[in-house]
Amino acid sequence: MTFLGIDIGTSGVKALLINDNGKPVGEASAPAVEPVRPHPGWSEQNPNDWWTATLAAVDKLKASHPAELAKVSGIGLSGHMHGAVLLGKGDEVLRPSILWNDGRSAAECLEMEAALPSLRDIAGNIAMPGFTAPKIAWMRKHEPDIYARIAKVLLPKAYVRLLLSGEHVEDMSDAAGTLWLDVAKRDWSDELLAVTGLNRSHMPRLVEGSAPSANLKREFAARWGMSGDVVIAGGAGDNAASACGIGAIRPGEGFVSLGTSGVLFVSNDKFRPNTKGAVHAFCHAIPDTWHQMGVILSATDSLNWLSRMTGQKQADLSRAAEAQFKGPGEEIFLPYLSGERTPHNNAKARGSFTGLSQSTEPAQLAQAVMEGVTFAMRDCQRVLSDAGTKIDRLLAVGGGSKSALWLKLLATNLDMEIALPEDGDFGGALGAARLGLCAATGANPADIMTMPPIKTVIAPDTSLSAAYSDQYARYRALYPAIEEAIS
């Protein structure tokens, strides 16, 4: 038997095949049409773009690995979270999906919390524009004709599941990011739904991520050469799926992701919200398990921005920063280029440099950017600790983990060892495939979702600990001062 993981991203879809030992045996990807920004701070995408990319990716696997694809008995789905796919009575898409990085609903977030003072207690999260429910509150006010036609609200991967299976189903981890879920009870909340004028009839059926959710339609099984009933697992939101891929499903296990955005993720044995620190407290894709995340919106994207500003390649900037590194520099960077979630929950926050001088060169700016992102991750660790969470083991993933300097900065500032896996894919597609395996075979997730072999472990540089604690204190003092000055 083989198992297929499909990871739905805003820039494209990746499909990964694994065998019954959990080893990858084939992969393919297909691009999606990039999101559009009709107004500053908005971000939208046509859901059909994900579907077209999904078909293209799996068709490529059919061409390159027909025998392996024919043996698929389970499929898992992973997808970018929070996006609002609005369907009418005939499951027609009513408008482009409003995505996770859309900030238009800040006012509606405040209105929702005022309307239901217990919102944070039930949802375990602050009402943020990135979540799904505030988007619907915005539509209720600004697009009432479309709002009145809503029959179902699905998340991105649930929309792809609908087309694959004909079923409206969502898993707990993705549902927790809507602001409609009672995260402790792992069930829709009638009170939260009512704040946006919706009820349970507008929601998909809920299942655990490792449980069966539906079967693949016969037409697609035939298209891809599969036989028998092909089970589709509940799947997971992208970060929970990545945790399944890297084996971070037990309490205290986590990862730090340096991708376009940044995530400090840790699994929990119970629901531990900390809304004061803007911590995300969600259900995990595994039954009776939760997780917390500190999320920053511009991680490697900050270095991408500096690359555009200086005309130098990101890799060259990273190498230059490492070559001249001696410890904290004079320059400090606040990485709030797209606003910030943890710990500030401020969509209007903006990035800034301080400490610039005539001697500042691109290499120093690159170091400051890497340090600023690292300090933002240290902020995340601080508020996770405030919630009573201890991280026992941390693995590094994402494009930024290729930088030895960035890993050294993280280990030193988080004051813990960081393990770097051997080269391989430990992202959402692998986690989704593992969930598909569990759903199809009934395997115990703990037996399947193991951690990968470790290439190296980066230890904190204790000789720099005091200097970085001082620099972090300066970094923390800058945000309120700058916000006060420009607001």
Side-chain angles (χ1 to χ4, degrees), residues 39 69 129 142 152 170 192 208 223 240 291 311 329 358 398 431 445 482:
H39 301 282
L69 191 65
H142 297 280
K152 287 284 188 211
E170 191 49 275
L192 294 176
E208 295 290 349
R223 173 174 178 155
H291 71 82
Q358 292 282 2
I482 291 174

Side-chain angles (χ1 to χ4, degrees), residues 143-373:
E143 297 180 358
D145 292 344
I146 295 178
Y147 172 86
R149 295 169 57 197
I150 296 173
K152 287 284 188 211
V153 182
L154 299 184
L155 296 166
K157 82 168 191 302
Y159 177 68
V160 172
R161 184 199 327 269
L162 171 66
L163 298 183
L164 288 172
S165 70
E167 299 285 338
H168 305 93
V169 192
E170 191 49 275
D171 93 288
M172 301 297 179
S173 69
D174 229 354
T178 61
L179 217 68
W180 286 313
L181 194 77
D182 185 323
V183 178
K185 294 181 179 178
R186 302 172 87 93
D187 190 18
W188 298 121
S189 164
D190 296 314
E191 290 178 279
L192 294 176
L193 286 165
V195 174
T196 52
L198 302 183
N199 57 54
R200 288 174 183 257
S201 71
H202 296 98
M203 296 294 106
R205 174 170 54 88
L206 290 170
V207 300
E208 295 290 349
S210 55
S213 70
N215 286 337
L216 182 67
K217 288 181 178 179
R218 297 292 184 185
E219 63 186 275
F220 297 114
R223 173 174 178 155
W224 295 321
M226 303 171 188
S227 59
D229 290 334
V230 179
V231 174
I232 302 176
D238 48 10
N239 285 301
S242 293
C244 292
I246 205 165
I249 65 169
R250 299 156 194 82
E253 295 177 344
F255 65 85
V256 55
S257 173
L258 289 175
T260 301
S261 59
V263 175
L264 186 62
F265 179 110
V266 61
S267 294
N268 310 118
D269 58 354
K270 60 181 65 175
F271 178 47
R272 285 198 183 96
N274 177 15
T275 55
K276 184 177 180 181
V279 169
H280 293 0
F282 293 157
C283 301
H284 209 319
I286 304 304
D288 300 319
T289 309
W290 286 258
H291 71 82
Q292 294 166 308
M293 293 189 297
V295 178
I296 67 173
L297 296 179
S298 297
T300 60
D301 214 25
S302 294
L303 206 54
N304 290 337
W305 168 83
L306 184 64
S307 173
R308 295 196 303 273
M309 293 301 101
T310 61
Q312 297 189 25
K313 293 180 180 179
Q314 181 178 338
D316 293 339
L317 287 169
S318 181
R319 281 192 290 268
E322 186 166 355
Q324 56 84 53
F325 178 77
K326 298 180 180 64
E330 293 182 357
E331 300 83 6
I332 299 178
F333 175 69
L334 302 188
Y336 309 138
L337 300 174
S338 301
E340 194 56 293
R341 287 198 185 178
T342 310
H344 303 304
N345 185 33
N346 184 355
K348 295 182 179 180
R350 291 295 177 261
S352 59
F353 276 110
T354 61
L356 302 181
S357 69
Q358 292 282 2
S359 62
T360 299
E361 298 286 343
Q364 282 82 32
L365 294 179
Q367 177 181 326
V369 165
M370 297 165 81
E371 288 172 340
V373 171

Side-chain angles (χ1 to χ4, degrees), residues 4-5 14-17 24-29 57 60-61 64-65 424-425 429:
L4 176 63
K14 179 172 183 178
L16 177 72
L17 281 168
V25 295
E27 65 178 68
S29 60
K60 285 182 180 179
L61 274 180
S64 63
H65 295 79
D425 186 336

Side-chain angles (χ1 to χ4, degrees), residues 113-133:
E113 294 203 343
L116 183 63
S118 60
L119 181 148
R120 294 187 180 189
D121 296 329
I122 301 170
N125 293 276
I126 298 172
M128 298 181 181
F131 291 130
T132 318

